[in-house]
Amino acid sequence: MTTEATEGIQALLHEKRTFPPSAEFAAQANGTAEMYDRADADREAFWAEQARKYVRWETDFDQTLDWSGAPFSKWFLGGRLNACVNAVDKHVEAGNGDRVAIHFVGEPEGDTRDITYADLHGQVQKAANALADLGVGQGDAVAIYLPMIPEAVVAMLACARLGAPHTVVFGGFSADALRSRIADAGAKVVITADGGWRRGKPGALKPAVDAALDSGEHPVEKVLVVRRTGQDVPWTDGRDQWWDDALAAAADTHEAQAFDAEHPLFILYTSGTTGKPKGVFHATGGYLVQNAYTSSVVLDIHPESDVYWCTADIGWVTGHSYIVYGPMTLGATQVMYEGTPDTPHQGRFWEIVQEAGVTVLYTAPTAIRTFMKWGTDIPAKFDLSSLRLLGSVGEPINPEAWMWYREHIGGDRTPIVDTWWQTETGAIMISPLPGVTQARPGSAMRPIPGVVAEVVDDAGQPVGNGQGGYLVITEPWPSMLRGVWGDPERYRETYWSRFEGVYFAGDGAKLDDDGNIWVLGRVDDVMNVSGHRMSTAEIESALVSHPKVAEAAVVGAADAMTGQAICAFVILREDVISEADEHGEGAELVAELRAHVAKEIGPIAKPRQIMVVAELPKTRSGKIMRRLLKDVAENREVGDVTTLADSSVMDLISAGMDKGD
Ligand code: 6R9
């Protein structure tokens, strides 16, 4: 992917704007320029320093890294720690028990709760005792299937306290998905809720657990049920127990034990390109170190003064790393929101920012583009002046969305950190340091101090500036996955076999003229049209740069003439579309958009087909499921939609397609 790929990415390479931090921001920032030099000079010493700075070790480690069994790594050998003690007890002992840990905002308006570190300390001890009473001990897996409520955090931390690896399954996943994860992890206990609030209505969760457990063999002995919505739930006596009752019956104090740095902290399932989901697992020490460090130097959290808000769901790795383990190890105050951005109105996020005085906001490009679609007048109604830093994660952020985010949310003032990382990397890997980097809209910029990444060609050779290739990590890092649960061979095969001795992330990337990294998206999203390789992200970016387009998804559909043909699905911006666009033939608009892409990238990038749609199929973590769009574009029956946030979206798109043809 050398010369061909770079032909197609020139459109992004012309982005030259840079945004340095203000002197005021730089002066207070946790991340500094000299960290790059120090990490380069002695990487292991640098990580050892971060480990001792951010994490409390009950027994100090005596060796930073053991890479002799590569690609299996061990970090902070001899060290012993407890992740829950780091996230909770440590802050109470330091006299910060009165600090709010979680400012919970439920979906129903007015349903808020402030939970201090001292409150949490009480709850995690009781929950740990309750789990221990059910027979959960070190090494026993626990499945967590909960909505975005504080009990999810308490449940995760109580497991960590016991050394019981948790596996959190998205509340939006089906009973089938839950069953396969429970079985693979060998979970003894499931923690769930009666239901959760979603778009003004209670949505049931418990029946999915029953369905998962009713169909055949499973290792589950007990189910703990949190009361959230108060709806009726089916009950299995002897197996099911209310969370409240279990906690009430449990002892108040729990003495935490320290575990080996390499003890597994959690398993999180993530879908690969084929086959069953992989159980990515992380080790306690290295994971905690890199998450606390990046929460400090990238998200710039100052625990004594910031109000931080990460909008991710806890069932996604971003929720694990940047709601629970990173910010809480620092002792941050954060907002946790249960609902969707448009319930009960499209200004809900900005209302929360205003009311809670949020200073650091971490969200996803898909959300930002949705806000763009809803129009700038909505955030303009709220006072967002408390914000001082914005973050982006999950997919490439196109320069237009980046600029909109900075201008309309950040008041043209805040730095933006576009953070590249994965479930597998455990923590942020490539990102600006907000007080140092002159960020360029659309680029994740450079590996953070301590991380070494490269862009390589097909043969594994580093590409030069201005060229594209594969993004690889060339040195081990503390929060790297320790493997695929129960399948060491799959770990080696999936991540370490494409290029000799380096980790291949699965993403394509390019270097701009200044050597900054632009992540283009998964290489399986790279199309080949008449022998030209093009990234779906790049064409999406061109489409979104048109004033009428809010969001776009592009897929390569099989084409007898050209190998693959570009098919685009676009959502229009509500505040700029005309009557004609909305109700007319649409043919003019489609021609206008094709011409726009041709102008931005070149005639070769003109989509064969552009479909105007009302919604795009997305997973609960906000990723567009291109596989489904490809089914539509190739006139196939639409495949498995179980991981969609809203499975009816595909019916609408397919119906529109039939009409359109
Ligand atoms: C944290 C998370 C990982 C994949 C990754 C890449 C995409 C994430 C990105 C980004 C471009 C960014 N991705 N952050 N692409 N720029 N800042 O999202 O984990 O769910 O495992 O997804 O997401 O394609 O490979 P995960």
Side-chain angles (χ1 to χ4, degrees), residues 250-540:
D252 289 340
T253 56
H254 176 272
E255 182 132 7
Q257 196 192 324
F259 301 102
D260 191 272
E262 283 298 312
H263 186 68
L265 181 61
F266 67 84
I267 310 164
L268 190 57
Y269 288 83
T270 177
S271 46
T273 40
T274 52
K276 63 170 188 154
K278 298 181 287 266
V280 165
F281 75 95
H282 284 282
T284 310
Y287 175 83
L288 213 61
V289 167
Q290 196 169 331
N291 274 295
Y293 159 72
T294 48
S295 294
S296 178
V297 305
V298 177
L299 300 174
D300 199 47
I301 294 175
H302 292 66
E304 54 304 320
S305 54
D306 275 315
V307 178
Y308 163 78
W309 182 19
C310 167
T311 67
D313 193 285
I314 218 114
W316 187 28
V317 73
T318 303
H320 284 57
S321 296
Y322 296 107
I323 294 176
V324 183
Y325 291 106
M328 295 191 66
T329 296
L330 296 183
T333 294
Q334 65 183 311
V335 168
M336 180 178 192
Y337 175 53
E338 178 185 27
T340 55
D342 56 353
T343 308
H345 57 81
Q346 294 178 334
R348 187 74 195 268
F349 266 34
W350 317 123
E351 186 176 78
I352 292 172
V353 168
Q354 174 179 292
E355 279 174 14
V358 172
T359 55
V360 179
L361 177 68
Y362 193 30
T363 191
T366 181
I368 298 163
R369 290 192 298 263
T370 302
F371 299 135
M372 287 173 75
K373 179 182 80 171
W374 291 343
T376 54
D377 53 322
I378 294 173
K381 287 188 207 126
F382 298 90
D383 178 4
L384 306 181
S385 61
S386 56
L387 289 168
R388 61 178 198 86
L389 176 63
L390 303 175
S392 173
V393 58
E395 50 175 325
I397 178 165
N398 47 294
E400 284 66 32
W402 196 103
M403 290 301 296
W404 188 92
Y405 195 25
R406 169 155 169 126
E407 206 173 312
H408 296 287
I409 306 304
D412 239 343
R413 171 188 79 245
T414 59
I416 295 180
V417 285
D418 172 11
T419 61
W420 178 88
W421 60 290
Q422 308 175 298
T423 304
E424 291 88 342
T425 70
I428 294 168
M429 301 289 281
I430 302 176
S431 168
L433 290 188
V436 177
T437 311
Q438 311 224 352
R440 192 165 277 185
S443 170
M445 305 301 288
R446 306 281 176 132
I448 58 168
V451 170
V452 190
E454 270 173 12
V455 180
V456 299
D457 64 16
D458 272 316
Q461 294 306 310
V463 303
N465 287 356
Q467 303 212 305
Y470 303 95
L471 181 59
V472 298
I473 315 291
T474 57
E475 298 289 343
W477 64 101
S479 64
M480 64 195 281
L481 74 163
R482 295 304 193 261
V484 175
W485 196 247
D487 197 347
E489 221 11 74
R490 194 169 174 199
Y491 166 71
R492 204 187 279 277
E493 167 63 31
T494 309
Y495 304 107
W496 299 89
S497 67
R498 176 67 183 80
F499 301 105
E500 179 74 33
V502 302
Y503 170 87
F504 174 47
D507 283 322
K510 66 185 172 59
L511 297 178
D512 67 17
D513 293 340
D514 302 311
N516 298 311
I517 296 174
W518 293 68
V519 181
L520 298 172
R522 308 293 302 191
V523 283
D524 26 26
D525 293 339
V526 173
M527 298 172 293
N528 190 328
V529 183
S530 306
H532 294 265
R533 292 208 191 163
M534 266 171 303
S535 128
T536 53
E538 177 212 354
I539 296 169
E540 287 164 8

Side-chain angles (χ1 to χ4, degrees), residues 16-199:
K16 291 286 185 212
R17 290 171 288 195
T18 54
F19 293 84
S22 66
E24 189 197 352
F25 190 99
Q28 60 80 59
N30 295 327
T32 57
E34 57 82 37
M35 286 180 165
Y36 290 102
D37 302 332
R38 217 141 37 81
D40 282 349
D42 189 343
R43 240 170 15 84
E44 282 185 35
F46 179 79
W47 281 120
E49 180 193 322
Q50 309 316 318
R52 295 194 174 102
K53 175 167 178 188
Y54 291 109
V55 167
R56 176 167 129 185
W57 300 88
E58 306 308 328
T59 309
D60 193 15
F61 53 91
D62 45 40
Q63 185 185 346
T64 304
L65 168 67
D66 177 4
W67 191 227
S68 61
F72 295 91
S73 76
K74 289 187 179 140
W75 284 83
F76 310 120
L77 289 89
R80 295 181 74 80
L81 76 167
N82 187 297
C84 179
V85 167
N86 269 280
V88 181
D89 305 37
K90 190 173 84 179
H91 310 305
V92 177
E93 284 166 28
N96 294 318
D98 290 343
R99 186 183 294 161
V100 172
I102 298 173
H103 176 67
F104 174 67
V105 181
E107 190 183 271
E109 276 189 297
D111 176 17
T112 60
R113 265 194 276 169
D114 280 350
I115 300 161
T116 64
Y117 275 98
D119 295 336
L120 264 186
H121 191 219
Q123 289 178 30
V124 293
Q125 292 186 81
K126 278 198 159 278
N129 283 327
L131 287 169
D133 291 344
L134 297 180
V136 175
Q138 178 176 354
D140 294 329
V142 173
I144 297 176
Y145 186 65
L146 284 171
M148 278 292 285
I149 53 176
E151 286 81 357
V153 177
V154 172
M156 289 165 76
L157 290 173
C159 289
R161 194 173 187 89
L162 294 169
H166 53 70
T167 182
V168 181
V169 180
F170 250 139
F173 277 156
S174 64
D176 258 359
L178 180 61
R179 175 180 33 239
S180 66
R181 286 157 173 79
I182 286 172
D184 192 78
K188 252 174 125 162
V189 169
V190 180
I191 305 175
T192 188
D194 47 1
W197 292 98
R198 202 90 198 142
R199 297 187 194 280

Side-chain angles (χ1 to χ4, degrees), residues 586-660:
E588 248 181 64
L589 175 71
V590 167
E592 192 180 321
L593 295 181
R594 294 184 76 232
H596 179 73
V597 174
K599 181 174 114 287
E600 288 287 303
I601 306 172
I604 182 75
K606 256 200 231 173
R608 179 186 73 183
Q609 209 168 11
I610 297 182
M611 267 283 290
V612 177
V613 294
E615 296 282 352
L616 289 168
K618 285 178 191 160
T619 63
R620 286 284 299 265
S621 66
K623 291 208 166 54
I624 295 169
M625 292 190 73
R626 289 194 176 70
R627 172 172 62 79
L628 300 179
L629 293 174
K630 209 164 161 157
D631 289 344
V632 174
E634 297 181 348
N635 291 318
R636 257 197 316 273
E637 173 126 44
V638 173
D640 184 8
V641 295
T642 49
T643 56
L644 278 183
D646 177 0
S647 58
S648 65
V649 167
M650 282 319 294
D651 298 335
L652 279 175
I653 294 176
S654 302
M657 196 73 180
D658 291 341
K659 255 195 300 162

